[in-house]
Each structure stands twice: as C-alpha cells, then as structure tokens.
DNA sequence: TAAATAGGTTTACATTATAAACCATTTTAT
DNA sequence: ATAAAATGGTTTATAATGTAAACCTATTTA
C-alpha cells in the first residue's frame, strides 16, 4: 500500500531540482538556483547528494573567465524519479 | 512554480496517516499502525504533531478495559492535505 | 503469581536540512 | 592603481526532524 519513499527524493529542494532536470538536456547551477529560489549553499549541498547517489552528473568548466557548474540527470536518476512519483501516488490519490 | 510544501505533510509517515484519515470517518491507533507499518513510538509522536497543527483530532477512551485512541481528520486537515497535493503536482507532473 | 501481551508515551540518538560564513576570482567604480 | 562590489560557488555550524529503543500502566494468560 504505502511503499517507502526514496529519502533522497523526498526533499523539497532535491525534488525540485530533479523535476527541472528531467525535462531539460542540462542546466546550470545559477538556473537551478533561480528556479528553485534556494540559497547557493543549500543547493550546493543537495546537488552533491544527488551526484553521490548517481542521480545526476555534475560538470565543472568555465564560461568566459567565470566558473560554471552544469548538471544533468542520469538514467539512474530518471528511474529513481519515476519510481518515486509512482510510489507517491498511493499516498495522494 | 515550486510552491513550498507544508513540512508537516511532507513526511512519509504523517502523509500516510493523513492519506488514510481522509478517506475514512475515523481510525484507531492500532489500525493506523498496521496500515502504515510504523512503530508505535514513531506513530505516537507524529500523531501528536498532526494534532498540535489542528490537522487531526484525537480522542482517548476505552474499548472494554483497554485504552483506545481514535483519530479523525479535521476540516483544517483536509484543506491542508488538498493544498499539499496541489502544490506537489508542480513537482511531479 | 509470574510472565506475556496490549496500547501506548517519553526520550535519546542519529540524520537532515538550512543558512551563515567563507573563499577565489572578476568586474566596476574612484 | 586600488578599493569595493559582484559572481559563482563550497564549507561548516546549528537547528530541526525523524526514528526506534526504552519505558510505563494495565490486562490477560500460563
């Protein structure tokens, strides 16, 4: 009935990030920060967790002279997100 | 876009409890415990929080000689649950 | 009458989330 | 030239949260 909800995804900010990343090729740190209206610190920490879980990939480069962090959802991440949503439905429908 | 998710409802166990209570006249502690597969301690704590928020009402009585705790969702609780679900949709759809 | 069960509550602990503080560099203003 | 502000983040300290273990009272069973 109530399947466990992946704790990594059952977090407002991480869920918002995954929600953004699932519908886009890739996204920059600042884009995610604006869309989620989070602080940089919080976002940084949560992106790390998602990366360590293998849900997203993070690439660091430069845009001009400025550092640039680019995020991309992985196949593992897509699967996890879909499973989470599926499980969640049992709670809210 | 991403409206804040009521922290009181964005918790696996509390959400499961609310999900059960919303579709039933009232429910006993032991019923909720079985359906949610939670420990009694955890359930007790979470029910307290829901009650303090005014999302549920808790009545204590006796069934025969045994203590009986009965829970019932309030109108405030119903509203909060519906708002939560509505907000959540932006994250998962 | 001792032990097990029922129906919980309290509390201690571990995990988590969050923002404040920080860092390196770059741009703008003076 | 240089001080001040802005950019693009990361680290870390603290608060808040979730959870189960330990506990409690009463009842039933052996």
């Amino acid at each position: 009935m109530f399947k466990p909800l992946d704790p990594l995804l059952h977090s407002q900010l991480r869920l918002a990030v995954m929600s953004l990343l699932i519908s886009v090729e890739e996204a920059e740190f600042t884009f995610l920060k604006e869309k989620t209206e989070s602080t940089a610190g919080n976002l940084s920490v949560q992106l790390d967790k998602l990366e360590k879980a293998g849900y997203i990939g993070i690439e660091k480069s430069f845009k001009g002279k400025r550092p640039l962090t680019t995020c991309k959802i992985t196949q593992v991440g897509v699967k996890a997100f879909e499973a989470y949503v599926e499980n969640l439905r049992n709670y809210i429908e």
Side-chain angles (χ1 to χ4, degrees), chain A residues 18 22 55 73-83:
Chain A
M18 293 293 281
I22 207 163
Y55 289 3
I73 198 167
T74 62
Q75 266 315 304
V76 171
V78 172
K79 287 288 176 199
F81 186 78
E82 285 169 352

Side-chain angles (χ1 to χ4, degrees), chain A residues 58-70:
Chain A
I58 300 184
E59 293 247 323
K60 273 152 199 312
S61 61
F62 283 87
K63 172 158 60 171
K65 297 178 164 183
R66 292 287 174 68
L68 176 69
T69 300
T70 309

Side-chain angles (χ1 to χ4, degrees), chain A residues 19-56:
Chain A
S19 175
L20 288 167
L21 290 182
I22 207 163
S23 60
V24 101
E25 212 1 60
E26 53 180 31
E28 301 181 6
F29 185 96
T30 51
F31 172 83
L32 294 175
K33 180 171 177 299
E34 275 166 30
K35 287 293 183 184
T36 60
E37 296 172 82
S38 62
T39 61
N42 193 5
L43 182 56
S44 179
V45 169
Q46 306 311 327
L47 289 179
D48 264 14
K49 290 186 186 174
L50 291 173
E51 189 192 25
K52 268 162 193 156
Y55 289 3
I56 68 172

